[in-house]
């Protein structure tokens, strides 16, 4: 996974210098890189960076005002999580985010979107990762069959009123920060 040229330029403009970089661990989905850096104040430091492919997160909004969530087991935290559909295609380079959003929505929920509105960009964990995400609102939905990957076989799909989704956030039932942040971004932009 190559370091984005804009990220490198941003570091340089902020006064950071990368002395060396080495991949400490890598698999098809994630790489962990260790960078020796010089801070703007001249002090040497060490940064661990998690490299991941760009992802998308989609809020599917039906004409009746309901939304579709998924629920799946998340191994790192040991529990089933309520989430908006999301994902990345680790095995393909230069994927158009809109195409990725349509594909992830179809794979995980079986929904096809007649309209996909880009709502913004976010970083999942800018303190430790360079993974960038694109947020979409999907409308004009039709339902078809899902196309779950082998590792997604436990995903279940749930339609619910938008008010119930908001109540789940308020109660703390939705713990996925990407889902909550995407919802907040879409709502703040007046798209709901």
């Amino acid at each position: 996974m190559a370091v984005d040229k804009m990220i490198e330029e941003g570091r340089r403009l902020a006064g950071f210098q990368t002395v060396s970089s080495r991949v400490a661990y890598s698999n098809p989905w994630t790489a962990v890189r260790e960078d020796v850096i010089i801070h703007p104040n001249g002090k040497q430091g060490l940064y661990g960076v998690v490299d991941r492919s760009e992802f998308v997160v989609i809020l599917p909004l039906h004409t009746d005002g309901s939304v579709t969530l998924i629920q799946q087991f998340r191994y790192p935290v040991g529990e089933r999580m309520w989430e908006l559909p999301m994902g990345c295609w680790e095995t393909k380079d230069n994927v158009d985010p809109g195409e990725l959003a349509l594909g992830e929505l179809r794979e995980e929920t079986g929904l096809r979107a007649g309209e996909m509105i880009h709502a913004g960009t976010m970083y999942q964990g800018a303190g430790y990762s360079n993974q960038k995400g694109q947020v979409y609102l999907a409308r004009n939905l039709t339902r078809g069959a899902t196309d779950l990957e082998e590792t997604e076989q436990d995903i279940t799909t749930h339609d619910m009123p938008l008010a119930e989704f908001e109540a789940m956030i308020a109660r703390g039932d939705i713990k996925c920060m990407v889902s909550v942040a995407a919802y907040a971004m879409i709502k703040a932009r007046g798209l709901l």
Side-chain angles (χ1 to χ4, degrees):
M1 295 175 204
V3 175
D4 185 297
K5 297 233 184 277
M6 288 179 58
I7 292 173
E8 276 299 324
E9 181 65 7
R11 290 176 185 152
R12 187 188 67 72
L13 291 173
F16 286 85
Q17 178 187 354
T18 304
V19 176
S20 66
S21 183
R22 74 172 186 87
V23 175
Y25 171 81
S26 180
N27 68 35
W29 305 275
T30 304
V32 178
R33 195 180 72 240
E34 185 176 88
D35 292 354
V36 175
I37 64 168
I38 305 292
H39 290 271
N41 65 6
K43 300 285 184 189
Q44 186 168 313
L46 182 67
Y47 234 104
V49 179
V50 177
D51 285 323
R52 298 236 22 209
S53 301
E54 187 169 359
F55 73 95
V56 295
V57 56
I58 308 106
L59 192 155
L61 181 65
H62 299 270
T63 54
D64 66 0
S66 65
V67 297
T68 298
L69 297 181
I70 65 166
Q71 193 179 51
Q72 67 180 315
F73 184 79
R74 290 298 194 176
Y75 178 85
V77 296
E79 58 183 276
R80 286 188 67 77
M81 303 281 289
W82 286 101
E83 303 172 355
L84 292 173
M86 68 182 80
C88 55
W89 289 344
E90 297 86 356
T91 59
K92 296 182 183 178
D93 290 330
N94 301 318
V95 175
D96 174 72
E99 177 188 340
L100 175 58
L102 289 167
E104 284 295 326
L105 182 65
R106 184 188 74 253
E107 284 177 18
E108 294 184 359
T109 68
L111 295 171
R112 277 73 172 158
E115 184 180 19
M116 192 69 75
I117 301 165
H118 184 254
T121 302
M122 67 170 69
Y123 285 96
Q124 184 167 325
Y128 65 89
S129 179
N130 61 11
Q131 187 179 34
K132 184 182 349 181
Q134 304 299 330
V135 178
Y136 287 90
L137 174 66
R139 297 195 302 205
N140 300 325
L141 302 170
T142 56
R143 193 168 308 273
T146 61
D147 187 21
L148 298 172
E149 296 174 11
E150 188 64 32
T151 58
E152 299 174 326
Q153 296 302 309
D154 72 322
I155 288 179
T156 56
T157 305
H158 307 266
D159 295 342
M160 65 186 63
L162 180 61
E164 177 57 22
F165 173 54
E166 292 170 337
M168 290 173 73
I169 292 171
R171 288 192 307 264
D173 296 340
I174 298 178
K175 300 173 190 171
C176 171
M177 71 162 188
V178 171
S179 296
V180 174
Y183 163 74
M185 183 181 284
I186 290 168
K187 185 158 177 110
R189 299 226 164 119
L191 298 172
L192 289 177

